[in-house]
Amino acid sequence: AKKAAAALSVASSNEKDSALKFAAQMILENADEILAANKKDIDEAVINGMNPSMIDRLTLNQNRLQGIADGILEVVAQKDPIGEVISGTVRPNGLRVHKVRVPLGVLGIIYESRPNVTADAAALCIKSGNAVILRGGKEAINSNKAIAATLRCALEKAGLPADCVQLVEDTSRESAHALMHLNGYLDALIPRGGKGLIRSVKETATVPVIETGAGNCHIFIDESANAKMAAEIVFNSKTSRPSVCNAAESLVIHKNAASRILPVIKERLDEKDVLLKCDEYSFEILKNTKNVATATDADFAEEFLDFVISVKTVENLDEAVEHISKYSTGHTECIVTENYQNANEFTRRIDSAAVVVNASTRFTDGGQFGLGCEIGISTQKLHARGPMGVNELTSCKFIVYGNGQVR
């Protein structure tokens, strides 16, 4: 991987883009083979009793393969970051100091049951000049092997080392543990998955870790909110794909709006049989309807990744911010409001990677933000924050030009 990274770091934009174009083309040409491999994973998941929403996360079909190919081509369309002069100055002594983007080097990615990550991560790494060692979960091993083999063929077809993309086929805990301790080989390790995986990597790894986010995403329904808009935003945020990190997990609603808006939201969520875990005030409003339960404190901190959402009522925006700050994972929070001042106050005070006004939390995504596919959504503050595209997979170096200056 280090040898391949050295070659890739000096590859031209045309060489990298050619590899990615071949990859997008070959993903579709090899669709039958990839889908057959994915069926093996799905069959095994059904036998093992995997949660239906997690099976959806694992599942590939022709449309999703097209989406993977389109995502790769969106990365091709991005500007090559490598060699970009970020800033430049001329010092009083005549030295010209340039700050230039360079690849990170060799990246490790540990992820769970989403085989699209194999293609997304590899595409972003190739574009940004990084070699990548991929270690997916056992649930998607057959899918990952088929996709990785396709990507390696595309690299070779473009004249680049196949080892720019490598897949660890051993899905034991030992292989993950070994990857976390590849000091001197890995320049950074990125976990992408549930909070258990992310916590394990963060606590165990001795190599640098870029923490991507578990998503306890909140939607605050302000007193002035439009009921129909609120219902549509909550419905989309919670039910379009409940197993992903930008799905809403917590609904916070102003008490003065609860009796007016909560039943409208509930009626919409009933279409998908979403279970609402309610605090005392909201439970009283909804207690004669189906799919309602009382919430515990633990429920407000939970990333359900399922058709379940917690409900908390608050007296004002201050209490909403306090509640969200206590339970947030720093991923995405939303306010639904018709009050411009409250919208600005919410965006100013909420400390998360993305803060949304009057739109679905599901928009926190590299593709939706114009980055192409993403390698993950960082919820930390050092190095990168939010959806990570090609620029976030780079570092910098200083190049200094002189004409004989000495100090």
Side-chain angles (χ1 to χ4, degrees):
K2 286 180 74 70
K3 186 176 179 181
L8 187 60
S9 69
V10 294
S12 69
S13 296
N14 285 340
E15 288 173 312
K16 292 185 289 186
D17 288 347
S18 292
L20 293 174
K21 288 174 184 176
F22 284 137
Q25 176 186 334
M26 294 172 70
I27 287 284
L28 298 178
E29 289 176 351
N30 296 349
D32 289 346
E33 179 183 337
I34 295 170
L35 293 178
N38 183 245
K39 186 177 185 305
K40 292 180 184 178
D41 292 329
I42 294 168
D43 291 345
E44 190 70 21
V46 171
I47 291 169
N48 292 332
M50 182 184 282
N51 182 302
S53 65
M54 297 305 288
I55 289 178
D56 173 69
R57 196 169 183 161
L58 172 64
T59 300
L60 295 174
N61 52 39
Q62 195 66 48
N63 285 340
R64 288 186 179 178
L65 286 182
Q66 184 66 58
I68 289 172
D70 290 344
I72 293 172
L73 293 177
E74 286 174 5
V75 173
V76 172
Q78 301 295 311
K79 180 183 175 184
D80 187 348
I82 303 306
E84 176 190 353
V85 178
I86 302 169
S87 63
T89 60
V90 179
R91 303 299 300 147
N93 62 4
L95 286 178
R96 290 180 291 134
V97 182
H98 292 175
K99 185 178 183 181
V100 179
R101 284 196 192 277
V102 295
L104 288 170
V106 179
L107 299 181
I109 317 290
I110 296 182
Y111 54 106
E112 295 176 324
S113 58
R114 292 182 66 186
N116 65 294
V117 175
T118 302
D120 292 354
L124 288 164
C125 288
I126 292 167
K127 182 75 175 189
S128 55
N130 296 290
V132 62
I133 300 174
L134 300 160
R135 196 279 187 186
K138 64 181 179 180
E139 303 88 354
I141 185 59
N142 293 296
S143 308
N144 291 339
K145 285 164 69 174
I147 293 171
T150 301
L151 297 171
R152 286 171 62 85
C153 286
L155 283 161
E156 289 186 319
K157 196 171 179 180
L160 295 173
D163 283 344
C164 292
V165 174
Q166 297 182 59
L167 177 72
V168 178
E169 297 185 7
D170 176 359
T171 59
S172 67
R173 288 191 177 188
E174 288 75 17
S175 72
H177 193 268
L179 196 61
M180 294 180 207
H181 293 84
L182 281 182
N183 297 76
Y185 297 95
L186 282 189
D187 293 285
L189 180 61
I190 303 173
R192 181 166 173 176
K195 61 184 178 182
L197 169 70
I198 294 164
R199 182 175 60 248
S200 173
V201 172
K202 186 180 176 183
E203 292 175 354
T204 306
T206 55
V207 298
V209 174
I210 300 175
E211 183 179 353
T212 63
N216 182 13
C217 302
H218 295 75
I219 299 177
F220 171 48
I221 310 299
D222 192 25
E223 182 177 11
S224 66
N226 177 283
K228 187 175 186 301
M229 178 192 290
E232 290 303 313
I233 288 172
V234 173
F235 180 78
N236 180 263
S237 298
K238 175 73 262 183
T239 71
S240 59
R241 286 197 76 184
S243 63
V244 294
C245 63
N246 57 17
E249 305 288 14
S250 300
L251 175 62
V252 182
I253 188 165
H254 197 294
K255 281 188 175 179
N256 292 349
S259 59
R260 173 174 66 91
I261 297 179
L262 197 52
V264 182
I265 294 173
K266 177 67 167 58
E267 183 179 3
R268 196 77 168 91
L269 292 178
D270 280 347
E271 296 175 26
K272 296 285 187 178
D273 284 325
V274 176
L275 174 63
L276 280 71
K277 294 194 170 184
C278 300
D279 69 353
E280 185 176 346
Y281 191 91
S282 59
F283 184 81
E284 282 299 310
I285 295 172
L286 300 175
K287 64 182 179 180
N288 294 324
T289 63
K290 64 177 183 177
N291 297 325
V292 177
T294 54
T296 65
D297 282 347
D299 288 324
F300 296 124
E302 187 63 39
E303 184 184 24
F304 298 108
L305 300 175
D306 203 351
F307 290 100
V308 184
I309 192 168
S310 66
V311 184
K312 171 70 175 178
T313 50
V314 293
E315 296 283 355
N316 49 45
L317 188 142
D318 288 342
E319 191 179 339
V321 170
E322 182 181 350
H323 176 82
I324 293 169
S325 299
K326 179 178 180 180
Y327 293 105
S328 170
T329 55
H331 192 293
T332 301
E333 326 301 345
C334 165
I335 182 173
V336 182
T337 184
E338 297 295 304
N339 186 306
Y340 180 76
Q341 183 177 344
N342 285 355
N344 284 344
E345 185 74 1
F346 188 83
T347 60
R348 187 175 67 86
R349 294 173 60 186
I350 291 293
D351 186 20
S352 290
V355 186
V356 181
V357 178
N358 292 338
S360 172
T361 61
R362 294 276 286 112
F363 283 110
T364 305
D365 172 86
Q368 295 296 322
F369 284 5
L371 306 178
C373 52
E374 70 194 27
I375 208 156
I377 297 173
S378 171
T379 54
Q380 65 183 32
K381 298 182 183 180
L382 294 180
H383 180 69
R385 196 180 195 193
M388 295 175 61
V390 290
N391 285 347
E392 287 69 35
L393 297 183
T394 64
S395 183
C396 68
K397 67 181 177 185
F398 287 89
I399 298 176
V400 182
Y401 295 94
N403 57 0
Q405 289 92 334
V406 293
R407 181 177 180 183

